[in-house]
């Protein structure tokens, strides 16, 4: 008896095994087979095309970088969606931190600085916060096509 779902799962498992040993062609097949669904899922949450594209790009970078662990993956679709979900949640955490940071900066602008030392201290503090924010979720460069 023909089972289309089983055939897809078998094909996915074969592609996963090939990616696990570094086969870039298998990776490209998985990317072209799954990127639209991952993009749509991420876009449903972030509602911003640029952000969605960047997050999807990070999904496939993480997928490739963790390829040696793919032998333990039982479902390609679930694995990619879990990566996408986690990266999307990380994105929202970063946005929340940035929003709080900028609110803090804005509120400080209303308070006069009493001395040069306090002003220098405030500038150093601002630099530390910006460095910490950049370390939380570094932006990726380049782009991937969806199609």
């Amino acid at each position: 008896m023909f089972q289309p779902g089983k055939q897809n799962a078998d094909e996915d498992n074969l592609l996963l095994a090939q990616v696990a040993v570094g086969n870039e062609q298998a990776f490209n097949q998985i990317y072209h087979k799954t990127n639209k669904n991952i993009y749509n899922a991420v876009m449903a949450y972030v509602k911003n095309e640029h952000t969605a594209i960047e997050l999807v790009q990070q999904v496939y970078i993480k997928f490739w970088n963790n390829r040696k662990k793919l032998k333990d993956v039982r479902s390609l679709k679930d694995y990619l969606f879990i990566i996408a979900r986690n990266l999307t949640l990380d994105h929202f955490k970063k946005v929340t931190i940035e929003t709080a940071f900028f609110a803090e900066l804005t509120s400080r602008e209303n308070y006069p600085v009493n001395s040069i030392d306090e002003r220098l201290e405030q500038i150093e503090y601002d630099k530390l916060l910006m460095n910490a924010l950049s370390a939380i979720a570094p932006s990726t460069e380049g782009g991937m096509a969806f199609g």
Side-chain angles (χ1 to χ4, degrees):
M1 177 182 209
F2 176 69
Q3 297 175 326
K6 172 119 173 65
Q7 185 179 7
N8 284 339
D10 290 343
E11 181 184 331
D12 288 351
N13 289 337
L14 179 61
L15 288 171
L16 281 168
Q18 292 172 346
V19 172
V21 295
N23 184 323
E24 291 180 25
Q25 189 175 13
F27 171 84
N28 287 333
Q29 282 183 272
I30 288 174
Y31 172 78
H32 289 294
K33 180 179 177 178
T34 60
N35 77 75
K36 286 181 185 175
N37 289 335
I38 299 297
Y39 172 81
N40 289 335
V42 170
M43 186 66 169
Y45 289 101
V46 299
K47 312 245 188 288
N48 177 288
E49 183 178 0
H50 175 76
T51 302
I53 289 170
E54 187 172 310
L55 287 170
V56 170
Q57 187 174 330
Q58 290 176 21
V59 167
Y60 289 96
I61 290 169
K62 189 166 192 157
F63 175 69
W64 178 256
N65 289 341
N66 292 327
R67 66 188 174 276
K68 291 182 177 153
K69 299 176 186 175
L70 293 178
K71 64 183 182 299
D72 300 327
V73 172
R74 299 288 172 243
S75 167
L76 171 63
K77 179 182 171 186
D78 290 347
Y79 184 70
L80 290 173
F81 277 99
I82 288 168
I83 294 172
R85 179 199 65 200
N86 291 343
L87 289 172
T88 301
L89 291 173
D90 289 346
H91 164 74
F92 284 125
K93 287 176 194 171
K94 179 184 175 202
V95 168
T96 301
I97 290 168
E98 286 175 349
T99 302
F101 169 71
F102 289 116
E104 171 69 21
L105 279 181
T106 304
S107 72
R108 276 204 255 148
E109 288 177 2
N110 298 328
Y111 297 107
V113 178
N114 295 329
S115 71
I116 293 175
D117 287 338
E118 286 178 3
R119 179 68 183 138
L120 291 173
E121 211 172 273
Q122 182 177 348
I123 291 170
E124 254 333 282
Y125 175 69
D126 293 346
K127 284 181 190 175
L128 286 171
L129 276 174
M130 291 304 282
N131 288 339
L133 283 174
S134 358
I136 289 173
S139 176
T140 55
E141 293 183 13
M144 292 184 167
F146 296 96

